[in-house]
mmCIF file with all atom_site columns, all heavy atoms in Angstrom:
data_model
loop_
_atom_site.group_PDB
_atom_site.id
_atom_site.type_symbol
_atom_site.label_atom_id
_atom_site.label_alt_id
_atom_site.label_comp_id
_atom_site.label_asym_id
_atom_site.label_entity_id
_atom_site.label_seq_id
_atom_site.pdbx_PDB_ins_code
_atom_site.Cartn_x
_atom_site.Cartn_y
_atom_site.Cartn_z
_atom_site.occupancy
_atom_site.B_iso_or_equiv
_atom_site.pdbx_formal_charge
_atom_site.auth_seq_id
_atom_site.auth_comp_id
_atom_site.auth_asym_id
_atom_site.auth_atom_id
_atom_site.pdbx_PDB_model_num
ATOM 1   N N   . LYS A 1 1   ? 108.159 94.615  34.044 1.00 0.00 ? 259 LYS A N   1
ATOM 2   C CA  . LYS A 1 1   ? 109.185 93.695  34.561 1.00 0.00 ? 259 LYS A CA  1
ATOM 3   C C   . LYS A 1 1   ? 110.252 94.492  35.311 1.00 0.00 ? 259 LYS A C   1
ATOM 4   O O   . LYS A 1 1   ? 110.663 94.118  36.391 1.00 0.00 ? 259 LYS A O   1
ATOM 5   C CB  . LYS A 1 1   ? 109.789 92.901  33.387 1.00 0.00 ? 259 LYS A CB  1
ATOM 6   C CG  . LYS A 1 1   ? 110.969 92.004  33.758 1.00 0.00 ? 259 LYS A CG  1
ATOM 7   C CD  . LYS A 1 1   ? 110.560 90.545  33.880 1.00 0.00 ? 259 LYS A CD  1
ATOM 8   C CE  . LYS A 1 1   ? 111.763 89.707  34.280 1.00 0.00 ? 259 LYS A CE  1
ATOM 9   N NZ  . LYS A 1 1   ? 111.496 88.318  34.402 1.00 0.00 ? 259 LYS A NZ  1
ATOM 10  N N   . VAL A 1 24  ? 133.306 96.609  50.024 1.00 0.00 ? 282 VAL A N   1
ATOM 11  C CA  . VAL A 1 24  ? 133.868 97.793  49.359 1.00 0.00 ? 282 VAL A CA  1
ATOM 12  C C   . VAL A 1 24  ? 135.282 98.092  49.864 1.00 0.00 ? 282 VAL A C   1
ATOM 13  O O   . VAL A 1 24  ? 135.490 98.351  51.051 1.00 0.00 ? 282 VAL A O   1
ATOM 14  C CB  . VAL A 1 24  ? 132.947 99.028  49.560 1.00 0.00 ? 282 VAL A CB  1
ATOM 15  C CG1 . VAL A 1 24  ? 133.557 100.260 48.895 1.00 0.00 ? 282 VAL A CG1 1
ATOM 16  C CG2 . VAL A 1 24  ? 131.562 98.737  48.988 1.00 0.00 ? 282 VAL A CG2 1
ATOM 17  N N   . GLU A 1 35  ? 133.166 89.738  59.252 1.00 0.00 ? 293 GLU A N   1
ATOM 18  C CA  . GLU A 1 35  ? 132.104 90.716  58.974 1.00 0.00 ? 293 GLU A CA  1
ATOM 19  C C   . GLU A 1 35  ? 130.988 90.079  58.155 1.00 0.00 ? 293 GLU A C   1
ATOM 20  O O   . GLU A 1 35  ? 129.808 90.326  58.390 1.00 0.00 ? 293 GLU A O   1
ATOM 21  C CB  . GLU A 1 35  ? 132.667 91.913  58.205 1.00 0.00 ? 293 GLU A CB  1
ATOM 22  C CG  . GLU A 1 35  ? 133.264 92.971  59.092 1.00 0.00 ? 293 GLU A CG  1
ATOM 23  C CD  . GLU A 1 35  ? 133.678 94.191  58.286 1.00 0.00 ? 293 GLU A CD  1
ATOM 24  O OE1 . GLU A 1 35  ? 132.844 94.710  57.522 1.00 0.00 ? 293 GLU A OE1 1
ATOM 25  O OE2 . GLU A 1 35  ? 134.852 94.601  58.413 1.00 0.00 ? 293 GLU A OE2 1
ATOM 26  N N   . GLY A 1 46  ? 120.761 82.209  59.428 1.00 0.00 ? 304 GLY A N   1
ATOM 27  C CA  . GLY A 1 46  ? 120.851 81.070  60.347 1.00 0.00 ? 304 GLY A CA  1
ATOM 28  C C   . GLY A 1 46  ? 122.266 80.526  60.403 1.00 0.00 ? 304 GLY A C   1
ATOM 29  O O   . GLY A 1 46  ? 123.052 80.710  59.478 1.00 0.00 ? 304 GLY A O   1
ATOM 30  N N   . VAL A 1 61  ? 137.523 80.902  47.044 1.00 0.00 ? 319 VAL A N   1
ATOM 31  C CA  . VAL A 1 61  ? 138.534 81.962  46.986 1.00 0.00 ? 319 VAL A CA  1
ATOM 32  C C   . VAL A 1 61  ? 139.915 81.347  46.789 1.00 0.00 ? 319 VAL A C   1
ATOM 33  O O   . VAL A 1 61  ? 140.726 81.818  45.989 1.00 0.00 ? 319 VAL A O   1
ATOM 34  C CB  . VAL A 1 61  ? 138.482 82.826  48.272 1.00 0.00 ? 319 VAL A CB  1
ATOM 35  C CG1 . VAL A 1 61  ? 139.702 83.743  48.368 1.00 0.00 ? 319 VAL A CG1 1
ATOM 36  C CG2 . VAL A 1 61  ? 137.198 83.656  48.301 1.00 0.00 ? 319 VAL A CG2 1
ATOM 37  N N   . ASP A 1 64  ? 140.047 79.305  43.219 1.00 0.00 ? 322 ASP A N   1
ATOM 38  C CA  . ASP A 1 64  ? 140.057 80.204  42.060 1.00 0.00 ? 322 ASP A CA  1
ATOM 39  C C   . ASP A 1 64  ? 141.087 81.319  42.198 1.00 0.00 ? 322 ASP A C   1
ATOM 40  O O   . ASP A 1 64  ? 141.151 82.219  41.368 1.00 0.00 ? 322 ASP A O   1
ATOM 41  C CB  . ASP A 1 64  ? 138.661 80.815  41.852 1.00 0.00 ? 322 ASP A CB  1
ATOM 42  C CG  . ASP A 1 64  ? 137.598 79.758  41.576 1.00 0.00 ? 322 ASP A CG  1
ATOM 43  O OD1 . ASP A 1 64  ? 137.969 78.579  41.414 1.00 0.00 ? 322 ASP A OD1 1
ATOM 44  O OD2 . ASP A 1 64  ? 136.402 80.115  41.533 1.00 0.00 ? 322 ASP A OD2 1
ATOM 45  N N   . GLU A 1 70  ? 135.775 92.396  45.290 1.00 0.00 ? 328 GLU A N   1
ATOM 46  C CA  . GLU A 1 70  ? 134.638 92.370  44.350 1.00 0.00 ? 328 GLU A CA  1
ATOM 47  C C   . GLU A 1 70  ? 134.435 90.968  43.775 1.00 0.00 ? 328 GLU A C   1
ATOM 48  O O   . GLU A 1 70  ? 133.314 90.511  43.579 1.00 0.00 ? 328 GLU A O   1
ATOM 49  C CB  . GLU A 1 70  ? 134.857 93.366  43.204 1.00 0.00 ? 328 GLU A CB  1
ATOM 50  C CG  . GLU A 1 70  ? 134.345 94.765  43.484 1.00 0.00 ? 328 GLU A CG  1
ATOM 51  C CD  . GLU A 1 70  ? 132.854 94.824  43.876 1.00 0.00 ? 328 GLU A CD  1
ATOM 52  O OE1 . GLU A 1 70  ? 132.023 94.285  43.126 1.00 0.00 ? 328 GLU A OE1 1
ATOM 53  O OE2 . GLU A 1 70  ? 132.544 95.385  44.944 1.00 0.00 ? 328 GLU A OE2 1
ATOM 54  N N   . HIS A 1 125 ? 96.000  83.868  34.361 1.00 0.00 ? 383 HIS A N   1
ATOM 55  C CA  . HIS A 1 125 ? 96.376  82.671  33.617 1.00 0.00 ? 383 HIS A CA  1
ATOM 56  C C   . HIS A 1 125 ? 95.139  81.878  33.194 1.00 0.00 ? 383 HIS A C   1
ATOM 57  O O   . HIS A 1 125 ? 95.193  80.653  33.059 1.00 0.00 ? 383 HIS A O   1
ATOM 58  C CB  . HIS A 1 125 ? 97.331  81.803  34.440 1.00 0.00 ? 383 HIS A CB  1
ATOM 59  C CG  . HIS A 1 125 ? 98.709  82.395  34.512 1.00 0.00 ? 383 HIS A CG  1
ATOM 60  N ND1 . HIS A 1 125 ? 99.042  83.398  35.391 1.00 0.00 ? 383 HIS A ND1 1
ATOM 61  C CD2 . HIS A 1 125 ? 99.827  82.158  33.783 1.00 0.00 ? 383 HIS A CD2 1
ATOM 62  C CE1 . HIS A 1 125 ? 100.304 83.734  35.213 1.00 0.00 ? 383 HIS A CE1 1
ATOM 63  N NE2 . HIS A 1 125 ? 100.811 83.001  34.245 1.00 0.00 ? 383 HIS A NE2 1
ATOM 64  N N   . GLY A 1 162 ? 80.580  77.678  60.958 1.00 0.00 ? 420 GLY A N   1
ATOM 65  C CA  . GLY A 1 162 ? 80.509  76.273  60.548 1.00 0.00 ? 420 GLY A CA  1
ATOM 66  C C   . GLY A 1 162 ? 81.795  75.542  60.854 1.00 0.00 ? 420 GLY A C   1
ATOM 67  O O   . GLY A 1 162 ? 82.748  76.114  61.394 1.00 0.00 ? 420 GLY A O   1
ATOM 68  N N   . SER A 1 174 ? 81.288  71.964  45.108 1.00 0.00 ? 432 SER A N   1
ATOM 69  C CA  . SER A 1 174 ? 80.748  73.023  44.279 1.00 0.00 ? 432 SER A CA  1
ATOM 70  C C   . SER A 1 174 ? 81.639  73.257  43.047 1.00 0.00 ? 432 SER A C   1
ATOM 71  O O   . SER A 1 174 ? 81.143  73.444  41.936 1.00 0.00 ? 432 SER A O   1
ATOM 72  C CB  . SER A 1 174 ? 80.605  74.272  45.143 1.00 0.00 ? 432 SER A CB  1
ATOM 73  O OG  . SER A 1 174 ? 80.457  75.390  44.361 1.00 0.00 ? 432 SER A OG  1
ATOM 74  N N   . THR A 1 227 ? 110.103 87.772  59.632 1.00 0.00 ? 485 THR A N   1
ATOM 75  C CA  . THR A 1 227 ? 110.232 87.160  60.956 1.00 0.00 ? 485 THR A CA  1
ATOM 76  C C   . THR A 1 227 ? 111.398 86.185  61.034 1.00 0.00 ? 485 THR A C   1
ATOM 77  O O   . THR A 1 227 ? 111.555 85.466  62.011 1.00 0.00 ? 485 THR A O   1
ATOM 78  C CB  . THR A 1 227 ? 108.928 86.437  61.377 1.00 0.00 ? 485 THR A CB  1
ATOM 79  O OG1 . THR A 1 227 ? 108.617 85.448  60.400 1.00 0.00 ? 485 THR A OG1 1
ATOM 80  C CG2 . THR A 1 227 ? 107.770 87.409  61.496 1.00 0.00 ? 485 THR A CG2 1
ATOM 81  N N   . THR A 1 250 ? 106.091 86.330  52.252 1.00 0.00 ? 508 THR A N   1
ATOM 82  C CA  . THR A 1 250 ? 105.570 87.688  52.089 1.00 0.00 ? 508 THR A CA  1
ATOM 83  C C   . THR A 1 250 ? 106.495 88.722  52.712 1.00 0.00 ? 508 THR A C   1
ATOM 84  O O   . THR A 1 250 ? 107.459 88.383  53.406 1.00 0.00 ? 508 THR A O   1
ATOM 85  C CB  . THR A 1 250 ? 104.197 87.838  52.786 1.00 0.00 ? 508 THR A CB  1
ATOM 86  O OG1 . THR A 1 250 ? 104.391 87.689  54.196 1.00 0.00 ? 508 THR A OG1 1
ATOM 87  C CG2 . THR A 1 250 ? 103.201 86.797  52.289 1.00 0.00 ? 508 THR A CG2 1
ATOM 88  N N   . THR A 1 255 ? 112.536 94.381  54.278 1.00 0.00 ? 513 THR A N   1
ATOM 89  C CA  . THR A 1 255 ? 113.008 93.504  55.337 1.00 0.00 ? 513 THR A CA  1
ATOM 90  C C   . THR A 1 255 ? 114.532 93.517  55.424 1.00 0.00 ? 513 THR A C   1
ATOM 91  O O   . THR A 1 255 ? 115.223 93.695  54.425 1.00 0.00 ? 513 THR A O   1
ATOM 92  C CB  . THR A 1 255 ? 112.537 92.051  55.138 1.00 0.00 ? 513 THR A CB  1
ATOM 93  O OG1 . THR A 1 255 ? 113.021 91.271  56.225 1.00 0.00 ? 513 THR A OG1 1
ATOM 94  C CG2 . THR A 1 255 ? 113.051 91.447  53.830 1.00 0.00 ? 513 THR A CG2 1
ATOM 95  N N   . ALA A 1 289 ? 115.543 82.583  41.752 1.00 0.00 ? 547 ALA A N   1
ATOM 96  C CA  . ALA A 1 289 ? 116.759 82.651  42.573 1.00 0.00 ? 547 ALA A CA  1
ATOM 97  C C   . ALA A 1 289 ? 117.747 83.693  42.047 1.00 0.00 ? 547 ALA A C   1
ATOM 98  O O   . ALA A 1 289 ? 118.303 84.487  42.810 1.00 0.00 ? 547 ALA A O   1
ATOM 99  C CB  . ALA A 1 289 ? 117.416 81.278  42.647 1.00 0.00 ? 547 ALA A CB  1
ATOM 100 N N   . ASP A 1 294 ? 120.494 88.702  42.656 1.00 0.00 ? 552 ASP A N   1
ATOM 101 C CA  . ASP A 1 294 ? 120.921 89.948  42.005 1.00 0.00 ? 552 ASP A CA  1
ATOM 102 C C   . ASP A 1 294 ? 120.467 91.158  42.817 1.00 0.00 ? 552 ASP A C   1
ATOM 103 O O   . ASP A 1 294 ? 121.208 92.125  42.989 1.00 0.00 ? 552 ASP A O   1
ATOM 104 C CB  . ASP A 1 294 ? 120.333 90.044  40.593 1.00 0.00 ? 552 ASP A CB  1
ATOM 105 C CG  . ASP A 1 294 ? 121.174 89.278  39.575 1.00 0.00 ? 552 ASP A CG  1
ATOM 106 O OD1 . ASP A 1 294 ? 122.318 88.906  39.909 1.00 0.00 ? 552 ASP A OD1 1
ATOM 107 O OD2 . ASP A 1 294 ? 120.677 89.049  38.453 1.00 0.00 ? 552 ASP A OD2 1
#
Side-chain angles (χ1 to χ4, degrees):
K259 174 102 181 181
V282 179
E293 275 186 52
V319 168
D322 299 353
E328 271 305 307
H383 286 81
S432 163
T485 58
T508 66
T513 181
D552 277 346

